[in-house]
Amino acid sequence: MDKLRGGSLVGGGSSSGMGSTNPGPEQQQLEQYPKNLIEQYLRASSKIKKFERAGFFKRFAPSVGDVQADFQRLAYSFEESGILQYAAMCHIGYAKCESYGGAPQRESEAYLRAARSFLGAHNESGQLHLRTRHSEFREGALHCYHRAAERAVDGCVFKAAILRELKQLQRQLDSTSSFASPTHQIHDLEISAETCGQRGDFRSALQHYDDIVDNVYERRGTRMYGELLRRVEVLRLLLLVHLNLPPARQSPAHIKLIEYYYNLAQFEARPCSANDGGSVERPGVFVPEQQQYALAEITCAWVERKMCDLKHLLRDFGAEFGDLSGVERQLLKVMHVELARSY
């Protein structure tokens, strides 16, 4: 493309006049550039049709690998040219080639690239105030997102990423649809918990975090969600301290969590880890040992009503562990500010 642009500039400098009606060969080549790409796309598409019609006589069909390489090359060319809708169609062609090879993950990735290209064309048409913005490009993106989600492995992080992008485009995504994977449900619960925490509804936030833990344990997917379970355990314990619920309002899981960290502070328990070989549903399994001891001190200060110590421990916890999430830090800040008002 750069060579063509450079050629057109050279041709423009050597033309006989500004008003010349006979464009040079470089300008003709530039004008034919999109048309040539489209013709190549149509030829590649016709090869796929030949492959589909070949049936049992696959040896007479074109090579799938060659057709796939054509689509990949054309997709990049269309993207460089800014013709995103054709880039999307080339990615779809690439995905169809992957379907013949029995590679659902790579097929899903190709459909995701197609969806993003269609979405780019949709957004670009909106910036240009084109009348077609509301229809085919957006529908093409939705179709490709759905196809990408269908072909992705259920429960994987990649599928959750697809669904997050899809939900931005289709906000009323049916929660009972086949796209509501366990990973997607867990992500939605975490977002809901964060939203509740931001508006000060800490009881609802605690309930959502409880639901996340129940969801993960029920599906036996604990090791896949180790970091999430660490983060959720810290948040659940801090929320229990912040809400100061009486025992009658605590669930058995809450009591078990508090007792574990209090006993750890009293040296009546040893830190748990995922390598102990025991149940992964115990408190502390996915929390680093150093964090466990820090949380144990916080729990002990709260249970024994040493509120000044609790205030300082919360501050020290945030300062000591630099890998805490933004949600954890925000909750620590809220707790520290509230305690500072009275102690």
Side-chain angles (χ1 to χ4, degrees):
M1 187 66 183
D2 291 333
K3 291 180 180 178
L4 292 173
R5 286 173 180 157
S8 66
L9 289 172
V10 173
S14 61
S15 61
S16 58
M18 292 292 290
S20 174
T21 58
N22 297 319
E26 295 87 353
Q27 187 173 348
Q28 289 178 346
Q29 189 179 4
L30 183 59
E31 290 173 353
Q32 291 294 318
Y33 181 66
K35 183 179 179 182
N36 291 338
L37 284 178
I38 292 170
E39 288 174 352
Q40 292 176 53
Y41 163 75
L42 293 174
R43 283 198 295 270
S45 297
S46 67
K47 290 179 183 178
I48 281 195
K49 292 177 182 177
K50 289 179 183 178
F51 188 84
E52 291 172 340
R53 288 196 297 265
F56 292 104
F57 302 99
K58 297 296 184 186
R59 62 194 179 96
F60 298 110
S63 167
V64 178
D66 292 343
V67 179
Q68 194 172 21
D70 288 342
F71 277 124
Q72 187 176 40
R73 174 180 54 79
L74 287 167
Y76 293 146
S77 297
F78 279 122
E79 286 171 356
E80 289 178 357
S81 303
I83 311 174
L84 297 178
Q85 62 270 35
Y86 271 97
M89 290 188 287
C90 289
H91 288 308
I92 292 173
Y94 186 96
K96 288 181 178 178
C97 292
E98 288 289 3
S99 70
Y100 297 131
Q105 181 62 28
R106 290 199 296 270
E107 182 185 354
S108 176
E109 292 169 2
Y111 274 118
L112 180 59
R113 291 194 296 270
R116 289 170 175 171
S117 292
F118 271 131
L119 191 58
H122 171 73
N123 294 335
E124 191 175 82
S125 66
Q127 293 172 358
L128 297 173
H129 303 289
L130 300 182
R131 294 180 181 179
T132 58
R133 180 176 184 257
H134 66 281
S135 54
E136 66 250 27
F137 297 154
R138 183 178 182 278
E139 293 303 315
L142 284 171
H143 169 75
C144 291
Y145 274 125
H146 282 285
R147 288 292 294 159
E150 286 175 350
R151 302 304 293 160
V153 177
D154 193 23
C156 70
V157 176
F158 180 72
K159 183 167 185 176
I162 295 170
L163 293 166
R164 283 197 292 272
E165 290 189 28
L166 173 59
K167 199 163 186 180
Q168 293 298 314
L169 191 61
Q170 188 180 8
R171 295 188 179 277
Q172 300 303 318
L173 183 66
D174 187 0
S175 60
T176 62
S177 72
S178 60
F179 305 114
S181 67
T183 306
H184 192 219
Q185 293 170 4
I186 290 168
H187 173 75
D188 280 351
L189 284 170
E190 189 173 16
I191 294 297
S192 298
E194 292 176 11
T195 303
C196 290
Q198 289 170 0
R199 64 169 183 255
D201 186 1
F202 295 111
R203 290 195 181 187
S204 296
L206 178 61
Q207 181 61 56
H208 287 312
Y209 289 127
D210 290 341
D211 290 342
I212 289 174
V213 174
D214 292 341
N215 196 314
V216 173
Y217 287 168
E218 181 182 349
R219 300 181 188 281
R220 308 287 183 185
T222 49
R223 296 190 183 276
M224 187 172 69
Y225 295 100
E227 171 55 27
L228 172 66
L229 289 172
R230 180 210 67 78
R231 186 166 65 249
V232 168
E233 182 165 316
V234 172
L235 288 166
R236 289 171 76 208
L237 186 64
L238 292 177
L239 283 168
L240 286 168
V241 171
H242 183 55
L243 289 169
N244 198 29
L245 297 174
R249 300 292 302 276
Q250 298 171 11
S251 70
H254 295 160
I255 295 172
K256 183 178 179 180
L257 184 63
I258 294 168
E259 285 181 347
Y260 168 76
Y261 280 103
Y262 184 73
N263 290 336
L264 185 62
Q266 304 298 314
F267 301 104
E268 296 177 5
R270 56 182 294 272
C272 292
S273 76
N275 300 322
D276 289 344
S279 171
V280 292
E281 298 183 10
R282 296 169 298 165
V285 169
F286 295 100
V287 179
E289 186 173 310
Q290 192 175 0
Q291 277 193 13
Q292 289 188 52
Y293 280 119
L295 290 170
E297 290 181 343
I298 290 172
T299 305
C300 183
W302 169 64
V303 170
E304 296 179 359
R305 311 310 295 166
K306 298 176 180 178
M307 308 311 282
C308 286
D309 291 347
L310 176 60
K311 179 182 66 174
H312 295 306
L313 288 168
L314 291 171
R315 182 196 59 199
D316 294 344
F317 186 80
E320 184 177 357
F321 301 103
D323 59 344
L324 296 178
S325 67
V327 180
E328 291 171 282
R329 292 191 177 281
Q330 181 60 32
L331 179 56
L332 286 167
K333 182 179 178 181
V334 169
M335 295 173 70
H336 186 271
V337 167
E338 188 159 318
L339 284 168
R341 292 172 181 166
S342 304
Y343 303 97

